[in-house]
Amino acid sequence: MRKKKPRPRRSFTSEFKAEIVELCQRGDRSVGQIAKDFHLTETAVRDWVKQAEVDAGERDGLTSTEREELASLRRENRRLREDVDILKHAMAFFAKETG
């Protein structure tokens, strides 16, 4: 039995996402139909709609700006932890050398 190759991850511009969200909010077609028409997953489209509602203050959750800031802070935190770890190793090395 052949394994199905995973589809490469696609990325979409914020303008494209906004257009899809607008189509969904108009109500002319269902989310599923819009997803099918644009060869998108229904889950992705629903997530975009949810995030747009959060950004507009219509739903509770982290806004896109807050999500970006959180991701940035997590990256910085990881880098700083790595820096501290390197300094700890250097300190131990030099303590052994002088002791």
Side-chain angles (χ1 to χ4, degrees), residues 9-96:
R9 189 170 185 89
R10 299 182 295 170
S11 61
F12 303 96
T13 64
S14 53
E15 292 82 13
F16 177 77
K17 290 178 184 180
E19 288 178 28
I20 296 297
V21 167
E22 188 180 322
L23 286 173
C24 292
Q25 290 174 338
R26 261 195 237 147
D28 301 340
R29 295 181 277 178
S30 70
V31 171
Q33 188 58 52
I34 291 169
K36 190 175 180 182
D37 291 347
F38 288 89
H39 305 289
L40 303 166
T41 64
E42 194 170 335
T43 304
V45 174
R46 287 189 191 285
D47 287 346
W48 296 347
V49 171
K50 250 187 253 180
Q51 189 61 54
E53 290 171 353
V54 169
D55 290 347
E58 300 167 3
R59 179 186 278 241
D60 287 338
L62 294 176
T63 65
S64 296
T65 305
E66 291 168 332
R67 284 181 182 278
E68 289 171 16
E69 182 181 11
L70 181 60
S72 173
L73 290 171
R74 285 181 173 164
R75 277 192 303 274
E76 181 181 4
N77 195 12
R78 188 178 328 111
R79 187 186 57 77
L80 291 171
R81 286 178 190 268
E82 290 169 358
D83 290 352
V84 167
D85 194 43
I86 290 168
L87 290 172
K88 281 181 184 178
H89 283 87
M91 229 169 51
F93 173 79
F94 287 117
K96 222 186 317 179

